[in-house]
Amino acid sequence: HRDLHSFPTRRSSDLYYVLGYLREMTWVKYRNMHSPHPDAGITFHLSEFVEDDLNEAIGYYNKAIMVYPKDNNAYYRLAFIFYETNKIDQMVNLLLHALKIDGENINYYLFLGLAYRKQNLLDKAWAEFEHAKSFMNSQEFALFESGKLISEPGKSETIPKNFWKKKDPLFLTEVNERKLEHYCRIAYANLCFSRLHKGIEGWKTPQGQVFIRYGPPVGNSQTWATISADMDGIFPVNYSKKVWRYPGFT
């Protein structure tokens, strides 16, 4: 492809972003995918074949930021990649840089809180979530603080005032660990399930709401689409699917 620096700054940033996103989606699609061979009883794991796509995605996103430092989408995608590949120091450095560019971006603070929680720096994580709340409007703040997103579907809309206090597992610590976990789940939902091109926050998506309510699955996988034939010449299609496994249900 042509040297994208020859295009206007924002346009070249968008093109780098699209190239990065295409590579990232290839990595996302195959990293947890396996291809079962029904006759041989063999399962092929495909993650090792997409490492180049991952590295190319990171390179393109970095170029997008380099030519247009306010490219929020590129920061979001890089933060996701660093979190999923356990490169938390790089995630922290990225977000601290992003906040210098856009110091009122709520998600940057949420993602930074999530990263600090991953590093077991609970006080720093709590502080970043407090920063995020300071930029929320009244509706965002009310939803963030309430237990509505984790209450059982169909139950009363009324959340008792002592909801989070009753769930605090360690009363003697300054941080309510269960509430911190709730904040982290919202941050993760926004990091992983937001539909950036449609402006939809991750916590609003079905995947995000399942994650916030039940937490991370104990296992997950994605299967490859297959077509097989039976003796009658019928060709049933087994579509590709993602499966989250929780104790007692999937």
Side-chain angles (χ1 to χ4, degrees), residues 190-247:
N190 282 359
L191 180 65
C192 296
F193 308 124
S194 291
R195 298 168 184 170
L196 300 177
H197 62 292
K198 294 184 177 181
I200 300 175
E201 296 281 359
W203 70 266
K204 296 180 180 180
T205 66
Q207 284 175 301
Q209 293 187 6
V210 167
F211 186 88
I212 293 168
R213 178 169 285 115
Y214 300 111
V218 296
N220 67 85
S221 62
Q222 183 169 345
T223 59
W224 187 276
T226 59
I227 300 177
S228 55
D230 59 21
M231 297 298 293
D232 297 322
I234 298 175
F235 296 85
V237 177
N238 299 310
Y239 293 101
S240 176
K241 62 182 178 180
K242 294 180 180 179
V243 178
W244 285 6
R245 292 186 295 277
Y246 290 92

Side-chain angles (χ1 to χ4, degrees), residues 12-211:
S12 61
S13 175
D14 290 343
L15 290 171
Y16 278 130
Y17 174 81
V18 170
L19 290 170
Y21 187 76
L22 291 173
R23 293 293 187 273
E24 182 195 349
M25 288 304 100
T26 300
W27 171 70
V28 168
K29 180 178 180 179
Y30 293 109
R31 65 182 178 134
N32 293 320
M33 184 176 282
H34 60 270
S35 179
H37 192 293
D39 298 325
I42 299 173
T43 297
F44 299 97
H45 295 275
L46 306 177
S47 58
E48 63 186 273
F49 299 106
V50 289
E51 284 301 310
D52 288 344
D53 294 279
L54 173 62
N55 293 329
E56 287 184 24
I58 292 172
Y60 282 130
Y61 287 144
N62 278 322
K63 287 180 180 179
I65 292 171
M66 182 176 64
V67 299
Y68 187 69
K70 295 183 180 181
D71 192 333
N72 289 336
N73 289 350
Y75 284 112
Y76 281 31
R77 302 316 309 161
L78 274 176
F80 166 76
I81 288 173
F82 291 150
Y83 189 84
E84 291 296 291
T85 56
N86 206 32
K87 297 176 180 178
I88 306 303
D89 288 341
Q90 289 178 249
M91 181 180 177
V92 168
N93 291 334
L94 173 78
L95 293 167
L96 290 174
H97 176 75
L99 283 167
K100 293 179 181 179
I101 308 297
D102 183 3
E104 296 185 5
N105 188 303
I106 294 171
N107 275 322
Y108 288 163
Y109 290 109
L110 293 180
F111 300 160
L112 190 54
L114 180 66
Y116 284 140
R117 174 64 183 86
K118 187 78 169 179
Q119 294 177 323
N120 206 32
L121 301 174
L122 304 191
D123 290 338
K124 295 184 76 170
W126 189 268
E128 296 306 328
F129 290 130
E130 290 296 316
H131 283 142
K133 289 192 291 184
S134 71
F135 293 105
M136 293 178 182
N137 61 39
S138 57
Q139 290 181 326
E140 291 170 334
F141 183 86
L143 183 67
F144 196 71
E145 286 294 282
S146 79
K148 182 178 178 180
L149 291 175
I150 64 170
S151 60
E152 287 299 320
K155 287 196 173 183
S156 171
E157 292 284 326
T158 303
I159 305 297
K161 291 184 178 180
N162 64 344
F163 178 83
W164 290 113
K165 186 175 182 180
K166 291 173 64 176
K167 290 184 175 294
D168 188 355
L170 302 171
F171 291 109
L172 297 180
T173 59
E174 293 185 10
V175 172
N176 183 328
E177 287 79 10
R178 180 59 186 89
K179 195 172 186 181
L180 180 65
E181 172 64 18
H182 178 64
Y183 292 163
C184 287
R185 290 183 186 181
I186 293 176
Y188 185 85
N190 282 359
L191 180 65
C192 296
F193 308 124
S194 291
R195 298 168 184 170
L196 300 177
H197 62 292
K198 294 184 177 181
I200 300 175
E201 296 281 359
W203 70 266
K204 296 180 180 180
T205 66
Q207 284 175 301
Q209 293 187 6
V210 167
F211 186 88

